[in-house]
Amino acid sequence: MGRAVYLSHPASLEHDTGAHPERPARIAAIEAELARHEWLGMERVEAPRVAAETLTAVHPERYVRGIEELCLAGGGSIDSDTIVVETSYEAALRAAGGAVRLVDLLCSGAAPTGFSALRPPGHHAEPARAMGFCLFDNVAVAAQHALDAHGLERVLVLDWDVHHGNGTNAAFHASPHVLFVSLHEWPLYPGTGPASDVGSGDGLGYTVNLPVPAGAGDALYRSLLEHVVAPLARAYEPQLVLISAGFDAHRDDPLADVELTEGGFAALAGTVRRLAAELEAPVGAVLEGGYDLRALAASTAATLRVLTADDPPPAEEVPVAPEARAALARLGEHWPTLAVV
Ligand SMILES: [Zn+2]
């Protein structure tokens, strides 16, 4: 098996909408930090454009064309915080394409793990609606591609961005083939993702929303990962794990009030790494938010250090938070094998 991969493309730097928290300097900050550490041994891979049919497996063709036309006409505002310029369409195609290429490399066994470090981010983009800085839902397109092109039947998408991943939530609401688990501050933008939203139709139980209050920190997140997400994943047995990796739950982030540290992100990655090893599923991460440049760079590096290490870190004793116990009790309705601790 080859080395871990780092997917990127210069188009990410051309999607520049002026004074905006979701800005090109985010990528530069991540790359400066990784370069200081020899890229953690990762192989750098240029992200291709996503194939049209891969993109339209999640986003209707008419919607994709609308984004293309808006950009090529010079750009404009889709809503008060989702702005495009002429070069945004190319950036968005590469951002989705990087996530898809990551899935190809993981599913073919060519890479053990990797990170798709492109922008614009994706998890707020619903199938037919751009919002929250997002145009195409990169991780959703990649997860759907894993099902369609690699024949997978069970993909776990773990979204630890501080905001609810309403786009991914919408894309797979009725599907049991993607288990979507989101930890997010609540209430907060975009206002979706209450614990009561558990999916619909055949996907009932396969959407797991774990809202946390403002002020939550490493202890609560670690407890939810160890005592809720891990047993849930063991019950689901995913063939691929994708992290919708936003780093705006960091305590220094200006857009939210969750208080994670770099060490907290490393601990979350550690739990995912142990799980993936146990389930023999590859794990990759796709960049979402994170708006304090220092915190973003340090948290990304902390996460990738764990994902790219030769072995998962040893398990640590993590106390069961009341919120974890409550989540397990709720999930029992759809996941009867989950033990309430
Ligand atoms: Zn976010």
Side-chain angles (χ1 to χ4, degrees), residues 123-124 133 161-164 189 246-249 255 288-291:
H123 74 151
H124 293 307
F133 318 160
D161 186 281
V162 79
H163 302 96
H164 179 238
Y189 180 90
F247 297 98
D248 41 10
L255 265 55
E288 300 289 357
Y291 305 100

Side-chain angles (χ1 to χ4, degrees), residues 21-303:
E22 204 293 285
R23 56 208 192 276
R26 300 177 60 231
I27 301 294
I30 289 171
E31 299 197 342
E33 179 68 16
L34 293 177
R36 267 197 291 281
H37 300 283
E38 284 77 44
W39 298 88
L40 302 172
M42 293 183 287
E43 180 185 350
R44 298 182 66 190
V45 177
E46 183 167 282
R49 290 187 190 120
V50 67
E53 64 271 22
T54 307
L55 188 57
T56 56
V58 170
H59 297 287
E61 199 176 336
R62 195 164 50 86
Y63 168 77
V64 173
R65 207 172 322 119
I67 297 290
E68 178 182 19
E69 285 167 4
L70 177 62
C71 293
L72 298 190
S77 293
I78 294 171
D79 62 32
S80 62
D81 51 28
T82 311
I83 301 156
V84 296
V85 292
E86 190 174 350
T87 46
S88 300
Y89 185 62
E90 173 75 7
L93 293 179
R94 300 279 179 179
V100 167
R101 177 57 57 88
L102 173 60
V103 160
D104 284 336
L105 293 169
L106 296 176
C107 289
S108 67
T113 188
F115 184 52
S116 185
L118 293 105
R119 52 182 290 281
H123 74 151
H124 293 307
E126 296 185 354
R129 183 183 179 201
M131 58 182 274
F133 318 160
C134 302
L135 303 179
F136 302 138
D137 191 338
N138 308 316
V139 81
V141 171
Q144 185 65 47
H145 177 72
L147 305 177
D148 295 342
H150 296 281
L152 268 52
E153 294 176 344
R154 293 178 311 281
V155 177
L156 168 61
V157 175
L158 170 62
D159 185 331
W160 74 39
D161 186 281
V162 79
H163 302 96
H164 179 238
N166 59 292
T168 317
N169 193 105
F172 301 114
H173 206 251
S175 172
H177 299 293
V178 174
L179 173 60
F180 176 64
V181 181
S182 178
L183 283 79
H184 47 272
E185 182 179 334
W186 206 77
L188 185 68
Y189 180 90
T192 48
S196 58
D197 181 3
V198 294
S200 56
D202 289 344
L204 203 59
Y206 297 92
T207 293
V208 175
N209 283 302
L210 301 170
V212 302
D218 292 346
L220 178 54
Y221 268 67
R222 292 184 66 180
S223 189
L224 289 170
L225 260 281
E226 276 297 327
H227 298 297
V228 181
V229 179
L232 187 63
R234 288 189 193 101
Y236 185 62
E237 298 185 327
Q239 298 155 297
L240 170 69
V241 179
L242 294 175
I243 304 171
S244 220
F247 297 98
D248 41 10
H250 191 282
R251 60 169 29 146
D252 293 341
D253 196 276
L255 265 55
D257 295 299
V258 166
E259 308 280 338
L260 292 191
T261 65
E262 290 98 291
F265 282 109
L268 303 185
T271 300
V272 175
R273 198 50 222 284
R274 284 191 296 277
L275 259 179
E278 179 186 330
L279 300 169
E280 298 179 6
V283 51
V286 177
L287 179 64
E288 300 289 357
Y291 305 100
D292 179 88
L293 297 182
R294 191 210 61 81
L296 169 65
S299 302
T300 301
T303 297

